[in-house]
Amino acid sequence: MKLKRTTKNYIYVAGLLVILSVSIAKYYLDSQQVADEVSNELRHIIQENIDYYTVNMSEDVPVRNCSKFIEKHISLLLFNRDIRSISITDGNKVSCSSVQSLNGIEVKIKKEEVGMIRLFYIPRAPYTDYLISKDDDSVLLKISYTPTYAIYFAFFPEVLTELMENYSWYNIFIKLENASLYKDSVVTENNYLHRGELFETDFNLKLCSFLTYFIINHGFIIIFWTITYLVVVNRSSPIFDRFKASYRSINKALKRSDFHPYLQPVFDINGTLVGAEVLVRWVHPSKGIIPPNDFIDEVEANGKIIEITRMLMNKCSSHLRHAEYLRNKDFHLGFNVCAIQFDSNYLYEDVVQLQQELSPNPIKIVLEVTERHEFENSVFTPYISRLKDKGVIIALDDFGTGHCSMKYLINTRIDVIKIDRTFIDTISSGGSTHVLNAIINLAQSTDIELLAEGVENQEQFNYLHARNIDQYQGFFFDKPLPIEKFIEKYLT
Ligand code: C2E
Ligand code: CA
Ligand code: CA
């Protein structure tokens, strides 16, 4: 589906962009907040261990009796599932560890300042840079309390990664001095940490995570906005109006006699009124005047146009039958007809009846046929001949806009060509008038009359007048008027 460039659609798209921007901003702020929460939780875990050291362990160091020391503090390991081991180093060797096999082994240990606390990651034993761990990876909390003496609390890395798991659509990570820990992976790298920080938390913005967040949190606003757009904003669009012009509502309108003829005057080259085109208006009791473009396709497709045209003919007949003014005048009355009306004899019968009713006034009936729907030639041509035998004038409407103009010109005896408004527009819009000139030349080389539709200004009129166009219709002269007003203005 392609959105047309209408104001309504712009508003809809602008609404979507606003929702998207708000969502991105909120996602960013939420990510920041979640990163802070993870940071606080981790700080809390670390602090618990430092406190434990300060309150319960510091009096036992330096360790004189390792087994007693371990025995005393084993409860830390047993009851705190976060901690995998405690070890103490003295100089370059492990002097006491809850992991038996580590006791006494030589390790290369970085000397720290007294009171220094660090948090770092070790991937796998054996490691010479850091304390050796036999198992898999760990995160070590190292507290140095003499230049050579340090205590290590070893955490399962999951203790840290689990902190982030609850926030599924935010990509939070924990930066240690030598690694970054994500929800499901660890990347060893040297991170810059602000002075004195053991760790920092940060986040990445990832499209797929954002989309999950967006759909779950703001999906309903998008749905709501789209429904609002379709129902409220789009209410008066053609889609909606056609929907309203249902078979039932048209039947009701026919019963109420809602369809009313509006007449737009046609003038000859001298400015004399020579006729009018009948344009239908649906005068709805509550919705007001509905223009043909909102329902004509529907009624042409479902055949209701036959009854509508008949209603227009009847109304024109009763208004014009006794118009004294038209006696001895040459006046044409044009009706728009479509292909489906040539499938039955109704059109012919209706036209003949109209002619009879109008016989006190010699009004000539014009039928305007368009190329909107293709006519079946074998039906159309003989039908037209019968109508012409009755004195009906045939006009080819919207000439040049479809593909079949030439076909009808060749096969059918056309009396008038109505040059479509789009070509008249080229006169004053600065566009090319080549096609317009070609149409004029074509018609003038035959005896077909030319009528210019949609003449809107003096410049267009002058141009057409200079080229001897026979008839003129358009807002420059007058707009379509309700038949009563038309009679009052032109026929009295
Ligand atoms: P159309 O037959 O080409 O009728 C001319 C349309 O151009 C009319 O629109 C008229 O109001 C408008 N118009 C006239 N002068 C000017 C002008 O100077 N500038 C501009 N911009 N427009 C001008 P309307 O009345 O809205 O009718 C639209 C179309 O609906 C008609 O186009 C015709 O195809 C169809 N239609 C109207 N009444 C009937 C009907 O009774 N039966 C059928 N089958 N179709 C109808
Ligand atoms: Ca027309
Ligand atoms: Ca037309």
Side-chain angles (χ1 to χ4, degrees):
M1 195 185 83
K2 204 178 164 213
L3 274 187
K4 282 199 200 138
R5 293 170 182 236
T6 62
T7 315
K8 288 174 205 165
N9 292 341
Y10 277 129
I11 292 173
Y12 173 65
V13 173
L16 291 185
L17 291 178
V18 169
I19 297 170
L20 189 67
S21 318
V22 170
S23 185
I24 292 174
K26 181 135 189 346
Y27 182 68
Y28 184 86
L29 293 175
D30 285 359
S31 293
Q32 225 159 23
Q33 195 185 336
V34 167
D36 288 346
E37 278 167 28
V38 170
S39 175
N40 289 339
E41 284 178 60
L42 181 54
R43 212 173 294 284
H44 180 73
I45 292 172
I46 292 167
Q47 194 57 46
E48 267 183 351
N49 288 283
I50 296 175
D51 288 350
Y52 181 85
Y53 166 76
T54 320
V55 176
N56 301 312
M57 262 181 186
S58 53
E59 62 198 25
D60 301 333
V61 294
V63 176
R64 255 155 268 141
N65 185 331
C66 180
S67 8
K68 266 200 174 156
F69 176 82
I70 296 297
E71 208 175 295
K72 184 175 171 192
H73 298 292
I74 196 78
S75 59
L76 179 67
L77 298 178
L78 294 179
F79 300 115
N80 187 342
R81 58 169 204 99
D82 295 346
I83 297 190
R84 102 185 306 183
S85 67
I86 323 167
S87 305
I88 287 166
T89 54
D90 188 0
N92 277 350
K93 70 174 198 327
V94 178
S95 63
C96 182
S97 174
S98 60
V99 182
Q100 277 298 322
S101 55
L102 289 179
N103 275 319
I105 68 162
E106 294 276 326
V107 281
K108 194 177 151 202
I109 298 223
K110 197 179 153 199
K111 289 217 165 74
E112 317 275 6
E113 286 171 33
V114 176
M116 177 79 164
I117 300 176
R118 283 174 55 209
L119 189 69
F120 53 84
Y121 173 77
I122 50 166
R124 196 178 281 270
Y127 273 89
T128 47
D129 287 345
Y130 297 117
L131 176 70
I132 295 169
S133 161
K134 271 179 97 187
D135 284 320
D136 287 329
D137 55 349
S138 306
V139 172
L140 298 187
L141 173 68
K142 176 181 181 186
I143 307 171
S144 306
Y145 49 86
T146 78
T148 57
Y149 210 89
I151 182 153
Y152 295 79
F153 294 86
F155 296 98
F156 293 98
E158 291 74 31
V159 173
L160 280 70
T161 54
E162 272 170 12
L163 293 176
M164 301 176 280
E165 261 162 23
N166 293 335
Y167 307 104
S168 52
W169 50 60
Y170 303 104
N171 297 295
I172 311 296
F173 60 98
I174 297 169
K175 290 197 309 193
L176 305 181
E177 58 177 49
N178 64 334
S180 298
L181 278 71
Y182 295 83
K183 246 180 299 214
D184 40 22
S185 62
V186 177
V187 178
T188 45
E189 59 185 344
N190 285 326
N191 284 320
Y192 169 78
L193 298 180
H194 288 91
R195 237 183 106 78
E197 293 293 343
L198 292 182
F199 69 91
E200 280 168 21
T201 53
D202 204 347
F203 57 91
N204 288 328
L205 296 175
K206 274 195 195 151
L207 185 65
C208 59
S209 314
F210 169 70
L211 288 179
T212 319
Y213 165 89
F214 181 63
I215 290 165
I216 293 175
N217 288 283
H218 299 122
F220 79 97
I221 302 181
I222 295 284
I223 294 170
F224 175 76
W225 178 239
T226 305
I227 291 173
T228 310
Y229 163 75
L230 288 176
V231 174
V232 181
V233 185
N234 222 16
R235 177 166 260 155
S236 60
S237 85
I239 312 169
F240 215 81
D241 291 336
R242 268 192 213 122
F243 168 67
K244 283 189 290 187
S246 65
Y247 199 77
R248 265 186 63 209
S249 60
I250 286 163
N251 268 341
K252 271 196 201 160
L254 278 166
K255 281 206 186 99
R256 283 192 306 252
S257 196
D258 277 357
F259 298 101
H260 202 65
Y262 272 51
L263 269 54
Q264 187 174 31
V266 175
F267 299 92
D268 70 7
I269 194 160
N270 304 312
T272 312
L273 179 79
V274 289
E277 175 177 4
V278 179
L279 293 157
V280 66
R281 297 291 182 267
W282 179 348
V283 186
H284 195 280
S286 60
K287 294 180 184 107
I289 294 171
I290 304 172
N293 286 339
D294 286 357
F295 63 89
I296 213 80
D297 285 349
E298 188 75 25
V299 296
E300 286 188 349
N302 66 23
K304 285 285 157 191
I305 190 66
I306 297 173
E307 288 167 70
I308 293 174
T309 308
R310 188 178 296 146
M311 182 174 291
L312 297 177
M313 288 181 172
N314 289 338
K315 288 188 177 181
C316 285
S317 162
S318 58
H319 278 98
L320 295 173
R321 199 166 3 194
H322 306 295
E324 288 290 326
Y325 181 87
L326 289 175
R327 295 266 143 91
N328 311 317
K329 291 249 167 55
D330 198 10
F331 189 81
H332 297 180
L333 190 61
F335 291 89
N336 290 284
V337 288
C338 66
I340 195 177
Q341 292 173 274
F342 291 84
D343 290 346
S344 68
N345 212 34
Y346 294 131
L347 178 65
Y348 181 82
E349 289 166 6
D350 292 342
V351 168
V352 171
Q353 188 181 339
L354 178 64
Q355 285 178 323
Q356 280 166 2
E357 288 173 7
L358 290 176
S359 58
N361 288 328
I363 294 175
K364 284 234 174 73
I365 305 301
V366 180
L367 291 186
E368 298 189 2
V369 296
T370 61
E371 314 169 66
R372 239 179 316 168
H373 309 284
E374 209 178 324
F375 290 90
E376 179 55 57
N377 244 322
S378 58
V379 179
F380 182 64
T381 311
Y383 205 122
I384 292 286
S385 292
R386 281 166 65 217
L387 287 165
K388 284 181 67 90
D389 290 346
K390 283 281 173 188
V392 173
I393 297 170
I394 305 298
L396 201 48
D397 203 357
D398 308 329
F399 188 82
T401 57
H403 306 286
C404 317
S405 311
M406 293 311 291
K407 186 175 97 184
Y408 297 132
L409 273 191
I410 293 163
N411 293 315
T412 320
R413 290 146 58 209
I414 299 292
D415 303 292
V416 181
I417 284 177
K418 295 192 78 169
I419 310 171
D420 191 69
R421 183 155 62 83
T422 48
F423 301 111
I424 307 299
D425 274 349
T426 59
I427 299 170
S428 47
S429 67
S432 161
T433 50
H434 287 337
V435 181
L436 173 65
N437 295 338
I439 295 172
I440 296 172
N441 292 338
L442 173 79
Q444 288 175 343
S445 66
T446 67
D447 56 357
I448 301 176
E449 278 194 68
L450 272 179
L451 187 156
E453 280 197 293
V455 181
E456 289 183 346
N457 55 49
Q458 186 76 50
E459 186 187 357
Q460 292 171 346
F461 176 69
N462 291 347
Y463 186 98
L464 297 162
H465 192 272
R467 283 164 184 75
N468 268 320
I469 302 304
D470 308 284
Q471 294 173 23
Y472 304 81
Q473 180 185 348
F475 294 166
F476 180 56
F477 306 97
D478 214 339
K479 60 181 197 294
L481 300 169
I483 189 163
E484 301 84 350
K485 283 229 176 85
F486 181 88
I487 292 173
E488 197 183 300
K489 186 166 179 185
Y490 291 103
L491 306 183
T492 44

